[in-house]
Each structure stands twice: as C-alpha cells, then as structure tokens.
Amino acid sequence: MKIVEQIKYPIKQEMELFEEKFEEAMYSKVLLVKRITHYIVRRKGKQMRPMFVFLVAKMVSNGDFKEKTYRGASLIELIHTASLVHDDIVDDSNRRRGFFSLNALWKNKISVLFGDYLLSKSILLSCDNEDFDLLKIISNSLKEMAEGELLQIEKARRLDITEAIYFDIIRQKTATLIASCTGIGAASVGAEQEEVDLMRQFGEYIGIAFQIKDDLFDYTDAKIGKPTGIDIKEKKMTLPLIYALNNCSDKERKWLINSVKNHNKDKKRVKEVIAFVKQQGGIEYTVSKMEDYQAKALELLKKYPESTYKSSLILMVNYVIERKK
Amino acid sequence: MKIVEQIKYPIKQEMELFEEKFEEAMYSKVLLVKRITHYIVRRKGKQMRPMFVFLVAKMVSNGDFKEKTYRGASLIELIHTASLVHDDIVDDSNRRRGFFSLNALWKNKISVLFGDYLLSKSILLSCDNEDFDLLKIISNSLKEMAEGELLQIEKARRLDITEAIYFDIIRQKTATLIASCTGIGAASVGAEQEEVDLMRQFGEYIGIAFQIKDDLFDYTDAKIGKPTGIDIKEKKMTLPLIYALNNCSDKERKWLINSVKNHNKDKKRVKEVIAFVKQQGGIEYTVSKMEDYQAKALELLKKYPESTYKSSLILMVNYVIERKK
C-alpha cells in the first residue's frame, strides 16, 4: 500500500463523504462557477489538509465523529483552494501555465473573482452554521497567509532576510494553515481550549517542517535528481542560502548577494550559487532544522494513547519530511 | 456647501474619528503593507459606504452611537477597498493604469495579496470583537459580489442577457454591499431583525439605482458631455441596450448583437450602437426604472420621524441619482 493510502486508511469513509460535501460547499447557480468547480474537483491533490482535520478530530475524540468536522474540513479546503487560485494570478499571463486552463484574456480576472468566491463561501459556511469558534481559528490564519506572502515579496526586493525573518515568513505563509487544520480538527469535536492550542502548535511544527522540505527541493529535487533553482530565480532567499550567507567571508557574501540580485536569470550563475551553498553546509544545516521541527511535532503526540489515528498522524509527520515532491 | 459636505454634516465628527479607526483596522507590521495602506488612506474617495452605516445607525437609534458602529463601518470599508484592489487585477498590466502605482512586475501579485489581506482583516476584526451578527450580514454580500461579477463575465461572453438577469447582476455585484451598509448600521445599534431587514432592503434599492446611474454614464457622461462606450467595448450589456434589443426588429437585433460581439473595438460602430439605443428610447426607460428604485427607497424612510440623519439620508438617495460622476 502506498504511504498516502496507508495514512488515509482509518478515515477512508470520511474522506469519501468529504468529497461530496466539499463539492456541495462550492455550489453556485452560476454556470461559469459550476464549470470551474467541476474542474477543481477533478484536479484534487493529495488532500493533506482535510486529512489532518479528520485524523486529529478522530484522535482527540477517540473516533467520535461530528458533522461539524466535515464543515471544518470544507472551511479549510475552500480557503486552501482559494489561495492556490489566487497564487495563479500572474503579471504576464502568457509566460506560465496556471491552475486553470482558461482563455488568457479573462484568466486573471476570473482567477481573482473565483478565489474571492471560494473565500466568501468558506466564511458563509461557518456563519450559516454558527461555527464561530472555527471561524476565529481560521481568520487569523487568513491574515497571516496574505501577510506572510507580502513579507516574502518585500524581502525578495530588499534581500535583507535573516534566519528569524525566514521562519516568520514560513510560519505565516504555510504553517499557519496547517495549524488551523489541526486546531479546527480538535475544536470541531468540542476539545477544550488548551487542547485546541496544543493541536494548533502540533500543526504549526508540521507546517514549518513541510515548508523547509519544500524549500530544500530548490537545492535537490529528489524526483528529478537535480536542483531546480526556481526560488533563486525569483530572488526568494531560503534557509540553505541564508545559512551560507551567515557563514562565509565578506567577499563571498557580496558575490552571493550580487548573484541573486543581478544574475538570478543566469542559469550558470544559479548553479554556482547552489554549489556554493552546498559546499558551505547549507543543506545539512537546513535538514537538521527540519528534523528539529519533526521531533517537536512528534513529541506533542506522546500524551495520546496508541490508536490507528495517532499512527496515521505519525506516518503523516514523517511523510512530510520524506516525500519526494 | 457642497452636497456631499451637507450630507456628512450631522456625522462630521464620526467620519473624522472613523478615518483613524480605519487606518488602525488595516495595521500591519510588514513595511510593504504599511506603504500601501498609507497610499490608500491618502487616496480615499467620497466614503459613501461608511456614511450610510453612520447615518442609518444614527437615524435608527435616535443619535445613540455605539463603538460597534465604527467596527461595522471599518468592516464594510475594508471589504469595499479589497474589492477595488482586486478589481485592479488585469490581464495585461501595461494597458491600463490601476489603483496602485506599483511596479508592473509585481503589480498583480501584490494587488491580489493585498486585497486578500484586507478581506482577512475585516473578518478578523469581527471575530475578535465577536460581532458575529455583522459578519453574518456581510458574508452573504461577499459571496454575492464575487458571484455577480462572475455572472457578468459569463453573460459578456455569451451575450444572452435578459432584463431579469441584468437586475440579478447589479443586485449582486453592487447593491448587496450597500444593503450590508444600511443593514449593519441598524444591527450595530441593536435594532431588531425586522428593522435590520427593512434597512437592508432600503440599501438594496439605493444600490440598484446607483448601479443603473453608473451604467447610464456609458451613454451620457454628464461630466464630459458625451458617451464613454466603455461597457460596450467590454461587451457588458446594460439596461439601455437590453431595452433596445427587446424593442426592435429581428434585423436590428442581429445588427446590435453582431456590433457588440464583433465590432466592440470599432469606435464608429460603438457610436452607432449608442445612437440606436437612444433613438429606441433606451435611456428614458432606464431613467424611469432608476427613479422607481429611488422612490421605493424613499418610501421606506417614511415611517421614521424627521431628524437631521433622515434628512441626510434623503439627500443621499437623491444624490446617488443626480450625481455627475
């Protein structure tokens, strides 16, 4: 059995039912919306986020499942999909193929409106059902996601990023939504605030490890067997590079900054930067940081008795770090 | 005294204080966000929407003002600004100057994220203060705004719009937010559900009249003294044209549809379409519809005793219809 199937096993039925409920949650009478919705449902990814919601809800409640958990998972998945759709807004629509196969003329306009539509549906779902505790959890994440991305753009322009700012960015742009998954999983089955907070912390650790792993693919893509260098092209400075910058001579630092600033489209130069970062030990350092967060996440599960849900969560934490893409 | 100053007079202090509170509501520690926020505060428009919130709150409560009303006004203005910012996403960033004077490379990306940031701040503001009644009112409008715009795009592609669909679009894309202003104004001072609904209806009528007026500018711009024809260029079929389509021969209808479909960039042809619509009485019909909604809105104010707030609201309803831009 594939690892993802193995993780899903104890919540297989819930995940199947969730698919229907998620499609319902996107429902609109507008034809154009229906068509895009249909496309999204077909194109669904691994659905990591609803899996976190269901597994935590099950673990915390010893398998006692509530309808509210489905709404929590839909709330998260609506917001995650909205962020993917909005991430697809580009400044030159011909340069990149995006989330939708939409006619280029309307592409950005429809993407922004459709993302807004999904966001509004998520808020409406919670308001209609008075799931205000879930809405409180997610509303802060929503803000942090947008703020984290804007902070990253600011830093890509100024190239003055430190390790602390790097962690701030990835906590905001990625980890906060996974923290909401695990927090909402607990809240949806009526957990006390303390346990909700603990589960939020659990998700945040996972999310940080997840984003570090993602950033490592820029240096060694396990699937294609070589670095991608996309982040450097986009002037995004991630942990391996930040470590190298903090552990080299002034002359080397100047060369690194100049490379990212002025030669980021030069493939040969990007390769040299990657080689330098590796030689400085940037990868080992980054991997060790990632493993710290993995360990912190697993530590928080210790207080729970063994269960199939807990086992799946452990598998999932490890999968985040060991995945090939 | 200018008409807008005259309308604002009974809520002058509140509007001044609101400016500070609105700036606070957008606060972020991220520099890039601060800079854009500053730009938005400087660029503020007539602030019609907060004026509606304050005037209704004052009229309904006989001047007894609550802190919650400020939050309601901020909630609305955050969402309205987010929609302006998102409306600025374009598919060819060089063709049009937009809301921000941002470097074209990052323009769309930053606009979408900044709009999302404002949206999330609005939801957070309501969640933090447990203004769930206000959030319920606005969440439906949020959905309708996105859905209305998407419906308009769908109809601009298919050119099969009827009068009923036209009213559906403008109710959703424009009137729903003004209905939320007036509804939230009432709810923020503790009005009963029945009165909140009445005030929502009042705002919806105003919003429909407002959008009809806006659409009329395409045929006669009172300020520049001639038609703009922008809607026709963008294949948006509004009430004057829809009326003409329903009241002409089959041959003329074919010519009209073909003009909008295939000759919408041809200035001469657009002028001919406008002339035809006028000749068919499309303008008179549209103006009479607009005046119907103006009358319906004013009718709903009759049950309130005279007050400076009510007088301002009457002025405002009339201003919506008589404004020059």
Side-chain angles (χ1 to χ4, degrees):
Chain A
M1 194 157 39
K2 272 189 189 164
I3 180 81
V4 176
E5 296 311 307
Q6 205 177 333
I7 295 168
K8 264 189 196 168
Y9 190 72
I11 49 165
K12 205 168 171 292
Q13 271 187 308
E14 286 81 3
M15 289 298 290
E16 277 166 17
L17 196 49
F18 170 69
E19 272 187 46
E20 281 171 42
K21 287 179 188 278
F22 180 56
E23 197 165 351
E24 266 168 44
M26 291 193 284
Y27 176 79
S28 166
K29 62 182 192 321
V30 176
L31 200 71
L32 177 60
V33 176
K34 274 188 190 165
R35 239 186 287 137
I36 305 177
T37 298
H38 182 71
Y39 175 78
I40 284 179
V41 170
R42 264 181 31 226
R43 192 189 180 281
K44 70 174 194 310
K46 285 193 284 288
Q47 302 191 290
M48 250 183 58
R49 287 160 191 81
M51 282 160 72
F52 274 124
V53 176
F54 290 127
L55 287 171
V56 168
K58 287 272 186 179
M59 180 183 72
V60 164
S61 67
N62 294 312
D64 179 23
F65 216 69
K66 300 268 191 284
E67 187 61 29
K68 192 172 172 180
T69 307
Y70 285 107
R71 295 197 301 269
S74 289
L75 171 65
I76 295 272
E77 197 67 355
L78 284 168
I79 284 168
H80 175 60
T81 310
S83 83
L84 290 180
V85 171
H86 276 181
D87 199 40
D88 195 38
I89 309 287
V90 284
D91 290 286
D92 179 343
S93 46
N94 298 318
R95 230 183 253 167
R96 188 186 123 184
R97 261 189 296 161
F99 193 82
F100 296 139
S101 46
L102 290 171
N103 143 11
L105 185 64
W106 294 102
K107 204 184 147 299
N108 280 344
K109 209 81 196 162
I110 292 178
S111 296
V112 73
L113 288 168
F114 191 73
D116 288 353
Y117 173 77
L118 294 176
L119 272 177
S120 68
K121 285 290 266 188
S122 73
I123 298 154
L124 201 54
L125 179 69
S126 298
C127 279
D128 282 350
N129 293 285
E130 313 220 327
D131 295 334
F132 298 124
D133 53 340
L134 308 190
L135 199 55
K136 267 193 161 183
I137 295 175
I138 203 70
S139 64
N140 195 50
S141 289
L142 260 184
K143 193 210 79 167
E144 291 197 316
M145 285 161 71
E147 223 176 11
E149 296 270 6
L150 286 163
L151 180 58
Q152 186 165 48
I153 290 177
E154 180 191 314
K155 292 299 163 189
R157 284 169 156 185
R158 297 161 58 102
L159 300 181
D160 61 347
I161 191 167
T162 61
E163 196 170 319
I165 292 174
Y166 169 77
F167 278 103
D168 217 24
I169 289 173
I170 68 172
R171 196 187 52 72
Q172 288 197 79
K173 76 164 193 171
T174 308
T176 189
L177 189 61
I178 299 181
S180 280
C181 293
T182 47
I184 280 176
S188 72
V189 291
E192 297 291 327
Q193 189 59 45
E194 200 186 332
E195 189 164 25
V196 173
D197 290 342
L198 186 88
M199 283 296 104
R200 284 197 78 256
Q201 187 63 72
F202 170 62
E204 188 173 295
Y205 290 149
I206 300 171
I208 292 173
F210 180 87
Q211 186 60 52
I212 295 178
K213 176 72 177 186
D214 216 58
D215 292 343
L216 275 168
F217 287 140
D218 215 47
Y219 290 86
T220 24
D221 187 311
K223 219 181 172 196
I224 58 175
K226 58 180 182 183
T228 63
I230 294 167
D231 286 342
I232 298 171
K233 267 176 219 144
E234 294 182 353
K235 300 188 183 183
K236 283 181 196 157
M237 289 161 74
T238 61
L239 195 52
L241 182 59
I242 295 166
Y243 177 82
L245 275 170
N246 290 339
N247 291 279
C248 66
S249 69
D250 282 353
K251 202 180 149 199
E252 289 166 329
R253 194 174 305 117
K254 265 193 179 161
W255 176 83
L256 269 177
I257 292 281
N258 181 36
S259 301
V260 176
K261 195 173 184 176
N262 303 313
H263 306 280
N264 58 318
K265 309 278 182 196
D266 170 354
K267 281 186 185 173
K268 190 169 156 279
R269 188 69 164 263
V270 170
K271 268 190 188 170
E272 285 167 14
V273 168
I274 289 171
F276 180 80
V277 167
K278 285 184 175 170
Q279 178 207 311
Q280 292 299 106
I283 306 300
E284 287 82 351
Y285 177 76
T286 303
V287 168
S288 80
K289 281 282 172 184
M290 177 176 74
E291 287 170 351
D292 287 351
Y293 282 96
Q294 176 188 29
K296 281 183 184 182
L298 292 174
E299 179 67 30
L300 293 184
L301 291 183
K302 282 202 176 145
K303 68 163 228 173
Y304 290 95
E306 298 312 311
S307 70
T308 51
Y309 313 118
K310 180 177 164 176
S311 302
S312 270
L313 280 170
I314 294 172
L315 275 177
M316 206 154 163
V317 173
N318 296 332
Y319 171 70
V320 158
I321 277 127
E322 288 148 21
R323 71 201 156 100
K324 302 265 185 259
K325 64 169 180 181
Chain B
M1 192 157 43
K2 272 189 190 167
I3 180 82
V4 177
E5 297 310 310
Q6 205 178 332
I7 295 168
K8 262 189 198 167
Y9 190 74
I11 49 165
K12 206 168 171 289
Q13 273 188 306
E14 286 81 3
M15 288 299 290
E16 277 166 20
L17 195 51
F18 171 68
E19 273 187 44
E20 283 171 40
K21 287 178 188 279
F22 181 56
E23 196 164 354
E24 267 168 43
M26 290 194 284
Y27 176 80
S28 166
K29 61 182 195 318
V30 176
L31 201 70
L32 177 59
V33 177
K34 274 187 189 164
R35 240 187 286 138
I36 304 177
T37 299
H38 182 70
Y39 174 78
I40 283 180
V41 170
R42 263 180 32 226
R43 192 189 181 282
K44 70 174 193 313
K46 286 192 284 286
Q47 302 192 291
M48 249 183 58
R49 286 160 193 80
M51 282 160 71
F52 274 123
V53 176
F54 291 127
L55 286 171
V56 168
K58 286 271 185 179
M59 179 183 73
V60 164
S61 67
N62 294 314
D64 178 23
F65 217 68
K66 300 267 190 284
E67 187 62 30
K68 191 172 173 179
T69 307
Y70 286 106
R71 295 197 300 269
S74 289
L75 171 65
I76 295 273
E77 197 66 355
L78 285 167
I79 284 168
H80 175 60
T81 310
S83 82
L84 291 180
V85 170
H86 275 181
D87 199 40
D88 195 38
I89 309 288
V90 284
D91 290 287
D92 179 343
S93 45
N94 298 318
R95 230 184 255 169
R96 187 186 123 183
R97 260 189 296 161
F99 194 83
F100 295 138
S101 46
L102 289 170
N103 143 8
L105 185 64
W106 293 103
K107 204 186 148 298
N108 280 342
K109 209 84 196 161
I110 292 178
S111 295
V112 73
L113 288 168
F114 191 74
D116 288 353
Y117 173 77
L118 294 177
L119 273 176
S120 68
K121 285 290 265 187
S122 73
I123 299 155
L124 201 54
L125 179 68
S126 297
C127 279
D128 282 350
N129 293 285
E130 312 219 328
D131 296 335
F132 297 125
D133 53 340
L134 308 190
L135 198 55
K136 268 193 159 183
I137 296 175
I138 202 69
S139 64
N140 195 49
S141 289
L142 259 182
K143 192 210 79 167
E144 291 198 316
M145 285 162 71
E147 222 176 11
E149 296 270 6
L150 287 163
L151 181 58
Q152 185 163 50
I153 290 177
E154 181 192 312
K155 292 300 164 188
R157 284 169 154 186
R158 298 161 57 102
L159 301 180
D160 61 347
I161 191 168
T162 61
E163 195 169 319
I165 292 173
Y166 169 77
F167 279 102
D168 217 24
I169 290 173
I170 68 172
R171 196 187 52 72
Q172 288 197 78
K173 76 164 193 171
T174 308
T176 191
L177 190 62
I178 300 183
S180 280
C181 293
T182 46
I184 280 176
S188 73
V189 292
E192 297 292 326
Q193 190 59 46
E194 201 186 333
E195 189 164 24
V196 172
D197 290 341
L198 186 87
M199 283 296 104
R200 284 197 77 256
Q201 187 63 72
F202 170 63
E204 188 174 294
Y205 290 149
I206 300 171
I208 292 174
F210 180 87
Q211 186 59 53
I212 295 178
K213 176 74 177 185
D214 217 58
D215 292 343
L216 276 169
F217 287 140
D218 216 46
Y219 291 85
T220 24
D221 188 312
K223 216 180 174 198
I224 58 175
K226 58 180 181 180
T228 62
I230 295 167
D231 285 342
I232 298 172
K233 268 177 219 142
E234 294 180 353
K235 302 188 183 183
K236 283 181 197 159
M237 288 161 74
T238 60
L239 195 50
L241 182 59
I242 294 166
Y243 177 82
L245 275 170
N246 290 339
N247 292 280
C248 65
S249 68
D250 281 354
K251 201 181 151 199
E252 288 166 331
R253 194 175 304 118
K254 264 194 180 161
W255 175 82
L256 269 177
I257 292 281
N258 181 37
S259 301
V260 176
K261 195 173 183 177
N262 303 313
H263 306 280
N264 58 318
K265 309 279 182 198
D266 171 352
K267 281 186 186 172
K268 190 169 156 280
R269 188 68 164 262
V270 170
K271 268 190 188 168
E272 286 167 12
V273 168
I274 289 170
F276 181 79
V277 167
K278 285 184 176 170
Q279 180 207 311
Q280 292 300 107
I283 305 301
E284 287 82 353
Y285 178 76
T286 303
V287 168
S288 80
K289 281 283 173 183
M290 176 176 74
E291 287 170 351
D292 287 350
Y293 283 95
Q294 175 188 28
K296 281 183 184 183
L298 293 174
E299 180 67 29
L300 293 184
L301 290 184
K302 283 204 173 144
K303 68 163 230 173
Y304 290 94
E306 299 310 309
S307 71
T308 51
Y309 313 118
K310 179 177 164 176
S311 303
S312 270
L313 280 171
I314 293 172
L315 275 177
M316 207 154 161
V317 173
N318 296 331
Y319 171 71
V320 156
I321 277 128
E322 288 149 20
R323 70 202 157 98
K324 301 266 186 256
K325 63 170 179 177

